[in-house]
Amino acid sequence: MTIVPLSKSPVAPMPPAISSHPVSIRKRLPRLERERMIIDEAIRFFAENGFEGQTRALAERLGVTQPLLYRYFPDKDSLIDRVYEEVYTKRWNPEWEGLLRDPTLSLGERLTRFYREFSETYFTYTTLRIYLFAGLKGVKIRRRGQIDLSDRVVTPVCDEVRRMAGLPLSTERPLSAQEIELFYSMHASFFYRALRQWVYGVEIKESMDEVVAATVGCFVEMAPKAFARMAAGR
């Protein structure tokens, strides 16, 4: 089997909203407007080419000089930091944290709504590919994203599973590696669906609603039993 690098893959077509044509920035634009155009194109550029992509090539796509680009971002790392902020930090919906801890909803209802919205926000062409390129390159975007997910999603979900199983919450007994991995086995199902679509160019026929319903249903049914078995084996 031949493995094709992500940035060269012929089976990872860009969606209609992504354009690889050069973007021309007029000479007299307000600073904030020009900065916005640079950021938007940088997100598309890194999603298509990975972090090996050179700022010189990005400047050419924008129709500006590289020195002008550096007037807004002094180096490539600062540009990558801003891309992270735009792609990850600003897209997070703080209402999700309340949703995942809402005692008036069942765990299945919470996870169903969360993953429908989370997938539409984070498992997109640009966000998924930037995440993968960051992991392969060792860029800090991926590490930051994992920390945020652990604090905001993994702990409240696993605590609810423990409650359903009649076990102490994480404030009384830290989550085990096995419990965390069980959560990620569910999360990975949604991630892999996006991977097939945006990296390997596989046509996805099942709707996200169908995937979420089936995956969440299995997790909610099996996770409390699994957590109980893990606790009994301590």
Side-chain angles (χ1 to χ4, degrees):
M1 178 177 67
T2 301
I3 299 177
V4 183
L6 293 180
S7 59
K8 302 296 184 181
S9 175
V11 294
M14 293 181 294
I18 304 297
S19 172
S20 60
H21 297 298
V23 176
S24 178
I25 296 183
R26 299 188 302 274
K27 293 183 179 180
R28 295 183 179 179
L29 282 178
R31 180 177 179 85
L32 291 179
E33 185 177 344
R34 177 174 286 176
E35 182 178 293
R36 181 73 262 163
M37 294 182 72
I38 291 173
I39 289 300
D40 289 344
E41 191 61 24
I43 291 172
R44 290 188 285 265
F45 179 76
F46 288 132
E48 295 167 18
N49 301 286
F51 293 104
E52 296 291 349
Q54 300 298 311
T55 53
R56 184 183 301 276
L58 173 60
E60 291 176 358
R61 281 176 57 150
L62 287 162
V64 302
T65 63
Q66 194 173 26
L68 186 144
L69 189 64
Y70 285 140
R71 285 174 55 188
Y72 291 84
F73 301 96
D75 51 41
K76 188 174 179 180
D77 285 342
S78 64
L79 180 58
I80 290 174
D81 282 342
R82 182 60 183 276
V83 165
Y84 165 79
E85 181 183 359
E86 295 290 332
V87 171
Y88 290 94
T89 305
K90 289 188 176 181
R91 294 186 184 184
W92 176 263
N93 183 353
E95 293 182 0
W96 290 337
E97 295 168 58
L99 168 66
L100 291 171
R101 297 180 184 276
D102 187 349
T104 68
L105 300 174
S106 69
L107 180 59
E109 290 172 316
R110 300 179 212 176
L111 288 173
T112 296
R113 178 179 160 189
F114 171 74
Y115 273 111
R116 283 174 177 168
E117 297 179 8
F118 184 88
S119 297
E120 291 177 356
T121 303
Y122 285 103
F123 291 154
T124 65
Y125 176 89
T126 54
T127 306
L128 178 86
R129 288 175 65 87
I130 284 174
Y131 181 86
L132 288 174
F133 280 127
L136 292 171
K137 187 64 176 174
V139 178
K140 58 187 174 183
I141 289 177
R142 187 166 180 266
R143 294 195 294 274
R144 284 180 177 176
Q146 287 181 326
I147 292 172
D148 288 346
L149 194 64
S150 296
D151 295 340
R152 298 173 178 178
V153 182
V154 180
T155 297
V157 171
C158 288
D159 268 344
E160 181 60 19
V161 173
R162 279 190 174 185
R163 188 195 66 77
M164 295 168 65
L167 301 172
L169 301 184
S170 60
T171 52
E172 301 176 50
R173 189 179 72 201
L175 296 176
S176 69
Q178 288 179 308
E179 289 171 323
I180 293 172
E181 284 303 314
L182 187 60
F183 165 85
Y184 275 112
S185 68
M186 172 188 61
H187 184 81
S189 298
F190 306 115
F191 180 86
Y192 185 62
R193 179 184 187 275
L195 182 74
R196 286 158 49 218
Q197 181 177 11
W198 299 125
V199 175
Y200 297 115
V202 175
E203 181 182 359
I204 304 298
K205 296 181 179 180
E206 70 275 17
S207 70
M208 177 54 70
D209 285 353
E210 292 173 328
V211 174
V212 169
T215 306
V216 167
C218 289
F219 178 80
V220 171
E221 179 181 353
M222 302 303 298
K225 300 174 185 178
F227 274 38
R229 288 196 299 269
M230 293 175 195
R234 288 177 181 274

